[in-house]
Amino acid sequence: MTAVLDEKLEPIFQDVLRRNPGETEFHRAVHEVLESLGPVLVKYPEFAEKKIIQRICEPERQIIFRVPWQDDKGEIHINRAFRVEFNSALGPYKGGMRFHPSVYLGIIKFLGFEQIFKNALTGLPIGGGKGGSDFDPKGKSDAEIERFCQSLMLELYRHLGEYTDVPAGDIGVGSREIGYLYGQYKRITNRYESGVFTGKGLGWGGSRARTEATGYGTVFFTEEMLKARGDALEGKKVVVSGSGNVAIYAVEKAHELGATVIACSDSGGFIVDEQGINLETLKRIKEVERRRISAYAETHRHARYIAGAESTSIWSVPCDIALPCATQNELTGRDAKTLVENGCIAVAEGANMPTTPDGIRIFQDAGVCFGPGKAANAGGVATSALEMQQNASRDSWTFEYTQKRLQEIMVNIHRNCHETAAEFGTEGDYVLGANITGFIRVAKAMNAMGLI
Ligand code: NDP
């Protein structure tokens, strides 16, 4: 957070620091948006007069609660869960639930804050929110996951509703967990309210292409950034970090568009397969067997597995395009420098805030196309909004149609970010373009609604 803020914005940021002590990820997310807003206040002085930015930085509602549950041996455990309902100017709060031991209020607030602008960028009627728990699903049995989800929903249900707050998945929350959460919601409320959750199974209200949407969308966004420079994905070497939901479908779409993904990872280490990651093996290991990525090298003996020593990072693998799809702060300044030296030309964030601020600066200074998560990974939530549309009309669209809508949305997001960056400052600065486009849409709605 070294960039200097506009003199009107610095006091706002200092206030955020004072009111939210210790929440470093949230501070960073706010700072990054404020860095972009100087020129917006010149064009729209009413946003400063009405204190719209100060209001956006304060969540509308923050819920923190206890989740007690019993493991298979009968031992009692206590976790903490969160739902931060950040902004509902454009629609019901919308954002995923994350289960990971690193979760605390600062992580959920950073994700919820980002979500406001990301959701606005989609052009669809959804507000911003996020939730999660410090529960660690690793090593838990199916029955333990079910009991935890049911206990969590016993409190969370009262805050949800298809017109109020609509959760989805995130790290550690996939279709299995959504099933348990939704089942318990239905049981408590005695309502078949499909639109209260997204990421549901296809047989019970889910949307085709939702599972694929975030990864696919990230690759569509990458293709648009390359097109804007007269280039294309075809023939490029790609490195994707992570091997979860976002990563797997980024690999799939990159391959479909003629690129070769040569490396991916999990928190234990990474694999390099110069022949191209075999998608069938990857899906079997991660989605069916739920094993570590190291198992890939057992099936494909020519592939290398590098265990996650501090000094070795997946970003040391030379590539044309880097797609960080695992977690926050996973691509540092040092990694960015290595990628630039190795000739990387484009980076798109499938994960939320995976690149550190110095990493972003290094990419931008070197002229690397950089697509921030707010824009590049917005395809997931956009398709969630399409799932809500299908639920509301009791309809179910084909995969092809849904994917076409997703692609159109990603093309629009790219165009809006590109045009806005050019209008407000620096052509090709997608960080600026995404922050300003998303902010203006929310700020105009808030301004129209009076003092909310
Ligand atoms: P998954 O849980 O399916 O996968 C996460 C992947 O990242 C796993 O490979 C995991 O490895 C790795 N990972 C998680 N935490 C860490 C860590 N601390 N250090 C190293 N690796 C880690 O999550 P998703 O794919 O759904 O989410 C990935 C990212 O994308 C997150 O930032 C999420 O917020 C973002 N995102 C997700 C969307 C979605 O639709 N799912 C939408 C928009 C953004 P391991 O299994 O070893 O933990």
Side-chain angles (χ1 to χ4, degrees):
M1 290 185 291
T2 48
V4 181
L5 291 177
D6 184 282
E7 59 176 18
K8 283 204 178 81
L9 295 164
E10 183 60 34
I12 299 177
F13 183 64
Q14 288 306 323
D15 215 34
V16 168
L17 289 181
R18 189 182 56 76
R19 290 166 65 83
N20 305 278
E23 297 175 1
T24 49
E25 296 83 1
F26 177 52
H27 301 161
R28 200 199 124 186
V30 171
H31 198 276
E32 188 198 288
V33 171
L34 297 194
E35 278 173 35
S36 305
L37 296 185
V40 178
L41 295 186
V42 176
K43 183 165 178 191
Y44 300 97
E46 65 273 28
F47 294 164
E49 281 157 30
K50 304 269 183 72
K51 296 199 174 176
I52 299 273
I53 300 174
Q54 290 92 322
R55 283 192 264 153
I56 286 184
C57 290
E58 183 67 22
E60 289 176 15
R61 192 174 298 108
Q62 305 182 58
I63 302 142
I64 304 179
F65 55 101
R66 178 174 68 203
V67 185
W69 60 280
Q70 262 180 316
D71 68 20
D72 291 342
K73 295 191 197 100
E75 195 180 326
I76 291 170
H77 299 266
I78 294 108
N79 282 98
R80 184 175 293 169
F82 307 85
R83 189 74 190 163
V84 174
E85 298 181 332
F86 229 116
N87 196 295
S88 60
L90 296 178
Y93 309 109
K94 182 84 198 87
M97 294 290 290
R98 174 177 292 192
F99 292 170
H100 194 273
S102 63
V103 164
Y104 76 107
L105 187 59
I107 295 262
I108 300 301
K109 276 164 74 176
F110 120 63
L111 291 164
F113 187 74
E114 292 268 300
Q115 198 82 46
I116 303 169
F117 308 103
K118 179 190 307 192
N119 293 4
L121 275 172
T122 67
L124 297 164
I126 39 179
K130 197 82 188 185
S133 170
D134 57 4
F135 173 74
D136 186 358
K138 276 204 195 91
K140 302 292 187 299
S141 72
D142 214 48
E144 288 169 336
I145 301 273
E146 179 176 347
R147 283 198 293 278
F148 175 77
C149 289
Q150 291 182 338
S151 179
L152 181 141
M153 189 48 74
L154 215 46
E155 168 61 31
L156 188 62
Y157 85 94
R158 70 187 86 244
H159 306 289
L160 306 183
E162 65 178 312
Y163 298 109
T164 310
D165 186 352
V166 182
D170 191 80
I171 291 178
V173 179
S175 57
R176 173 181 58 169
E177 290 74 18
I178 299 284
Y180 295 146
L181 292 166
Y182 178 67
Q184 182 77 339
Y185 179 86
K186 187 181 79 57
R187 195 174 170 207
I188 300 169
T189 59
N190 192 28
R191 275 201 306 271
Y192 206 102
E193 189 189 342
S194 302
V196 72
F197 256 95
T198 60
K200 299 181 293 296
L202 284 186
W204 41 281
S207 171
R208 290 187 181 82
R210 174 60 188 94
T211 308
E212 295 83 355
T214 310
Y216 278 21
T218 302
V219 175
F220 288 142
F221 192 88
T222 309
E223 181 79 326
E224 290 307 304
M225 290 198 298
L226 292 171
K227 259 196 220 160
R229 294 191 175 190
D231 205 341
L233 260 171
E234 181 150 20
K236 299 289 188 296
K237 272 193 183 183
V238 182
V239 167
V240 174
S241 64
S243 50
N245 171 260
V246 180
I248 288 174
Y249 293 96
V251 174
E252 182 163 286
K253 186 51 74 181
H255 281 177
E256 263 178 53
L257 295 182
T260 307
V261 180
I262 54 165
C264 65
S265 63
D266 62 19
S267 57
F270 64 95
I271 49 158
V272 182
D273 183 346
E274 293 288 347
Q275 295 176 14
I277 299 290
N278 184 301
L279 200 63
E280 211 180 304
T281 310
L282 182 66
K283 283 186 179 176
R284 174 173 50 77
I285 291 171
K286 299 309 284 191
E287 292 186 329
V288 182
E289 298 168 359
R290 296 180 189 270
R291 292 169 71 201
R292 312 304 298 157
I293 196 73
S294 52
Y296 184 95
E298 291 167 15
T299 314
H300 300 277
R301 298 222 169 255
H302 59 274
R304 285 182 290 135
Y305 173 67
I306 295 98
E310 286 279 305
S311 55
T312 340
S313 139
I314 190 171
W315 309 118
S316 61
V317 179
C319 62
D320 304 306
I321 291 161
L323 304 178
C325 295
T327 192
Q328 63 275 357
N329 299 322
E330 53 155 318
L331 198 166
T332 64
R334 192 175 62 175
D335 297 325
K337 200 161 162 281
T338 308
L339 281 163
V340 170
E341 281 165 6
N342 286 338
C344 175
I345 56 166
V347 178
E349 297 186 322
N352 284 314
M353 223 165 73
T355 316
T356 58
D358 54 335
I360 297 175
R361 227 171 351 266
I362 288 168
F363 288 136
Q364 291 186 327
D365 289 349
V368 171
C369 304
F370 179 79
K374 260 182 222 96
N377 71 37
V381 75
T383 309
S384 276
L386 301 182
E387 182 172 331
M388 291 162 76
Q389 279 186 34
Q390 292 169 76
N391 294 150
S393 58
R394 306 269 191 266
D395 201 356
S396 174
W397 305 343
T398 64
F399 187 91
E400 291 69 27
Y401 177 71
T402 317
Q403 183 180 214
K404 188 168 155 281
R405 293 279 307 264
L406 164 66
Q407 188 167 10
E408 284 164 5
I409 290 167
M410 296 314 294
V411 169
N412 273 335
I413 293 175
H414 175 272
R415 192 180 43 243
N416 287 336
C417 293
H418 200 265
E419 287 175 3
T420 305
E423 181 191 342
F424 280 91
T426 325
E427 176 130 10
D429 184 342
Y430 293 101
V431 175
L432 190 87
N435 286 336
I436 295 183
T437 310
F439 174 79
I440 289 179
R441 189 160 177 241
V442 179
K444 281 185 172 170
M446 287 179 73
N447 202 23
M449 289 179 190
L451 188 52
I452 58 166

